[in-house]
């Protein structure tokens, strides 16, 4: 923490203010370095990006620029609450933390005695990416309790499995390396909205002559500034990639020497890609043959070429194989190991925390690991799929009624009388309205944590800047309270945040040279510190070594075969698509994709009025041809529906989406939607082909105009409390 005197800051109006270093906690690769100005009364005056951070560079995204509106929001929860009305009514009365802990522990102990601890399920995801309030809070207490494990597969699990099976490690370069690329393919990603600190590097690269191509069925904010935008039909990207490989090989543009030295399974892959001539891929993707051919030739003849891919593209029933196919492209052309070439997916595997120091899952005090339940199936799990049933649900770092697939089924489950629900959050979210006990959470300014980004190569310490509002507590501090209430005595459940950070840092440093000279004290003093990666090792895979069993790029993966997957990349139609629907389905139903909103991060910030106004209103974009065929006018209220549910949104008639596709930005809170439901009442909770991943974009819907609107669209009725 640094003292910032009044003559050093324009916003300091009295004797002095404090400047506190922090880190953005949200689910974004940028992992921005923050600084907060705090006045003498302990109130945050401003929040801004640190100017000396190589990626943040002194500015923040449209969302986090409004972070103080979230911190000081008038509807922040400040005290523990107990439900006093029907589930979902939002009627609560104030209780003490002691009462809350006593009731939770008593209910849990009864469930454990009658049914076993596996009938308690923690549900969380990326409300914070912090080491303490994310990874440690997700594991230590629950391992000691013996609760069901949660497979946190809602975002990138299929893609992560594809990376592991193909190249072994998630080792993206830092964004500065884009300046050395001559071609950048941004495939199924919209960094202008979801990783905006990449954009200045892309712009500078373009000014230097780099060509930027965006492949996406929607003309996103990123696509608008690209040199070329290509719009395949959703879920057909693997066919496009395989056809590109067909063109490259047929024209002799592949790098034979690199393939021979650094890959496994080339002959098998060659046979597979010969089944995907451009003509076949054109029929599948809806793209002209010439577009496919020209893209393939441009990629194969431009060096270095960077492929930027993120997790949206893996949220299909064929998502794992799609990412496998994409990862083969740089190997075919020898782009791996080049400055400015290869794949930019995630930097997560440069540094991995020592797992036992984080989780303590092998401590003798912990019961044997029970079952693992997939978070994508929450609605099904709460309504009969889990055996034995879930009798207690603890939700934190998440808002599944807004953000999880098949949300109507989740609401059905949350209404069970025999389900005891605890929600820990900053706000009374749509999920929190179904809580039996509702606990107030801290914001990032009110807690201590440590962060490693998945889009750059620095560690960042988050110092607590202000006192918790009301009686709010961090995730980890609540776990420590539950530890005492449950009678657990292990020291690793009682450490404060600094002790947790120190222990994990030291355990990880004992085996990782990347933490050389990085101590807790240094992080506290400097705020952020770059990982100690030698300059010659900063280009991923420059040594030709990959993290697969063979040490090479595995076109053919025996491990994939052993897991029951096709060992070679291939294209299989999405389960819900015109390729699998009957004639009526092809004619009437459209595929719904739900790209991330520009002003929300999943459902975070969805209740900040300024950002809702900027985002507009819950809407769906459709092509003019599709609108005319259905008698839909721009701005009209429409109903989206399928076998899972329905919701009302407003139509935006636009050629930004290709025919056959609907695009609805996510995630709007249901309570701010015209009928109290959002698009996740329609999204699929099927599991992807790899690793139990999510399939949000494998969703077919019917769209029709609504003659008369329901109640006027506006603010929801506030909850009742006493």
């Amino acid at each position: 923490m640094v003292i910032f005197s009044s003559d050093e800051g324009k916003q300091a109006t009295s004797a002095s203010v404090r400047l506190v270093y922090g880190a953005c906690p949200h689910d974004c690769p940028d992992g921005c370095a923050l600084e907060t100005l705090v006045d003498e009364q302990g109130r945050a005056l401003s929040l801004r990006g640190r100017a000396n951070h190589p990626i943040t560079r002194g500015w923040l995204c449209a969302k986090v620029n409004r972070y103080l509106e979230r911190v000081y929001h008038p509807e922040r929860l400040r005290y523990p609450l107990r439900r006093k009305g029907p589930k979902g009514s939002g009627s609560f009365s104030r209780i003490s933390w002691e009462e809350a802990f006593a009731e939770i522990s008593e209910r849990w102990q009864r469930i454990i005695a009658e049914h076993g601890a596996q009938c308690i399920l923690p549900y969380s995801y990326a409300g914070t990416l912090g080491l303490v309030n994310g990874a440690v809070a997700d594991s230590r207490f629950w391992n000691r309790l013996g609760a069901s494990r949660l497979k946190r597969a809602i975002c990138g699990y299929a893609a992560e499995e594809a990376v592991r099976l193909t190249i072994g490690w998630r080792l993206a370069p830092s964004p500065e390396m884009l300046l050395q690329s001559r071609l950048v393919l941004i495939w199924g990603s919209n960094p202008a909205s979801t990783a905006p600190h990449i954009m200045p590097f892309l712009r500078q690269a373009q000014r230097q002559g780099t060509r930027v191509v965006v492949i996406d069925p929607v003309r996103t904010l990123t696509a608008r500034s690209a040199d070329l935008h290509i719009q395949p039909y959703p879920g057909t990207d693997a066919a496009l990639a395989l056809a590109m490989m067909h063109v490259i090989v047929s024209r002799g543009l592949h790098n034979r020497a690199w393939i021979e030295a650094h890959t496994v399974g080339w002959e098998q892959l060659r046979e597979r890609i010969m089944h995907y001539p451009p003509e076949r891929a054109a029929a599948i993707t809806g793209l002209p043959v010439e577009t496919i051919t020209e893209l393939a030739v441009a990629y194969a003849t431009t060096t270095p070429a960077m492929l930027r891919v993120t997790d949206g593209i893996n949220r299909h029933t064929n998502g794992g194989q799609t990412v496998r196919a994409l990862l083969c492209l740089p190997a075919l052309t020898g782009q791996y190991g080049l400055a400015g070439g290869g794949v930019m997916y995630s930097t997560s595997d440069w540094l991995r925390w020592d797992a036992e120091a984080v989780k303590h899952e092998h401590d003798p005090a912990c019961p044997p690991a029970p079952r693992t339940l997939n978070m994508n199936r929450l609605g099904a799990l709460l309504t009969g799929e889990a055996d034995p049933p879930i009798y207690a649900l603890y939700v934190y770092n998440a808002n599944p009624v807004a953000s999880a697939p098949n949300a109507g089924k989740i609401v059905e489950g949350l209404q069970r009388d025999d389900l005891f629900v605890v929600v820990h959050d900053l706000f009374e979210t749509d999920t929190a309205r179904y809580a039996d006990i509702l606990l107030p959470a801290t914001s990032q300014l009110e807690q201590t944590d440590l962060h490693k980004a998945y889009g750059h190569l620095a560690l960042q310490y988050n110092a607590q800047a202000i006192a918790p509002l009301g009686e709010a507590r961090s995730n980890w501090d609540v776990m420590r309270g539950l530890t005492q209430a449950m009678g657990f005595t292990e020291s690793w459940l009682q450490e404060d945040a600094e002790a947790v950070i120190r222990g994990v840092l030291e355990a990880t440093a004992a085996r990782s040279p990347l933490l050389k000279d990085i101590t807790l004290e240094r992080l506290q003093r400097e705020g952020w510190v770059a990982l100690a990666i030698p300059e010659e090792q900063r280009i991923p895979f420059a040594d030709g070594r990959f993290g697969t069993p063979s040490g090479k790029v595995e076109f053919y993966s025996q491990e994939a075969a052993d897991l029951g997957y096709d060992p070679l990349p291939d294209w299989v139609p999405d389960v819900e698509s015109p390729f699998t629907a009957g004639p009526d389905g092809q004619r009437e139903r459209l595929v719904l994709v739900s790209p991330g909103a520009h002003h929300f991060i999943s459902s975070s910030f969805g209740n900040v009025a300024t950002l809702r106004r900027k985002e507009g209103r819950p809407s769906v974009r459709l092509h003019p041809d599709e609108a005319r065929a259905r008698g839909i006018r721009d701005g009209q209220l429409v109903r989206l529906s399928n076998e899972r549910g329905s919701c009302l949104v407003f139509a935006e008639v636009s050629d930004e989406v290709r025919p056959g596709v609907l695009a609805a930005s996510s995630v709007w809170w249901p309570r701010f939607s015209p009928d109290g439901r959002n698009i996740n009442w329609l999204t699929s909770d099927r599991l992807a082909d790899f690793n139990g991943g999510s399939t949000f974009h494998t969703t077919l819907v019917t769209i029709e105009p609504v003659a008369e609107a329901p109640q006027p669209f506006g603010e929801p009725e506030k909850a009742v409390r006493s």
Side-chain angles (χ1 to χ4, degrees), residues 178-466:
L178 289 168
L179 300 179
Q180 299 185 57
S181 303
R182 290 187 59 213
L183 173 67
V184 179
L185 293 189
I186 302 177
W187 203 317
S189 181
N190 179 25
S193 293
T194 61
H197 285 80
I198 284 179
M199 297 308 293
F201 298 102
L202 278 175
R203 292 285 181 271
Q204 184 177 344
Q206 283 179 295
R207 289 193 294 270
Q208 295 172 184
T210 301
R211 191 177 186 214
V212 174
V213 178
V214 171
I215 302 171
D216 197 302
V218 180
R219 191 183 309 137
T220 61
L221 191 57
T222 305
R224 293 174 195 171
S225 61
D227 298 291
L228 176 65
H229 177 209
I230 296 171
Q231 293 179 278
Y233 192 82
T236 66
D237 302 272
L240 175 57
L242 289 162
M244 288 174 63
M245 288 187 260
H246 185 287
V247 172
I248 291 168
V249 172
S250 297
R251 299 195 178 195
L253 300 176
H254 53 302
N255 190 325
R256 294 178 178 85
W258 200 96
I259 291 169
E260 182 176 352
H262 299 293
T263 71
V264 170
W266 165 236
E267 291 303 324
Q268 295 98 318
L269 178 65
R270 183 188 182 109
E271 181 180 349
R272 175 64 55 86
I273 64 180
M274 287 300 106
H275 293 288
Y276 286 91
E279 293 76 14
R280 181 187 177 198
I284 294 170
T285 63
L287 298 174
V289 169
E290 295 76 17
T291 297
I292 298 171
T293 302
E294 290 169 8
L295 176 64
V297 172
Y299 180 76
T301 58
T302 308
T303 300
M306 183 72 77
L307 171 61
R308 165 73 177 183
V309 59
T310 49
D311 287 324
I313 203 167
N314 89 145
R315 295 174 193 149
H316 294 264
T317 54
N318 61 15
Q321 282 287 43
T322 293
V323 177
R324 281 265 285 145
L326 296 182
L327 294 172
C328 291
L329 282 166
L332 210 68
T333 55
Q335 296 289 341
Y336 284 114
L338 301 181
V343 169
M344 180 178 283
Y345 171 59
S346 170
T347 63
S348 296
D349 286 344
W350 283 101
L351 177 72
R352 294 183 182 181
W353 299 125
D354 183 272
E356 189 59 25
V358 171
K359 301 177 181 180
H360 284 268
E361 61 185 332
H362 297 117
D363 191 284
C366 296
R371 62 187 176 180
T372 298
L373 302 175
N374 192 309
M375 68 186 308
N376 291 307
R377 299 290 296 168
L378 180 61
L381 292 168
L382 294 178
T383 55
E385 186 171 278
D387 183 21
I390 297 165
Y391 289 110
L393 182 71
Y394 186 99
V395 180
Y396 63 104
N397 279 350
N399 180 13
V401 169
S403 300
N406 202 358
K409 183 66 72 172
I410 295 171
V411 169
E412 179 185 340
L414 290 174
Q415 292 174 320
R416 281 173 39 203
D417 290 334
D418 63 344
L419 179 68
F420 178 61
V421 179
V422 180
V423 176
H424 182 213
D425 208 303
L426 281 77
F427 300 101
E428 188 184 297
T429 64
D430 291 275
T431 304
R433 294 176 74 89
Y434 295 91
D436 295 289
I437 299 291
L438 181 52
L439 305 174
T442 48
S443 71
Q444 183 75 339
L445 301 192
E446 301 157 61
Q447 60 195 24
T448 298
D449 220 325
L450 181 66
H451 292 257
K452 68 181 184 78
Y454 61 98
H456 61 72
L457 302 174
L459 282 185
Q460 294 170 167
Y461 182 79
N462 185 78
Q464 181 179 329
I466 62 175

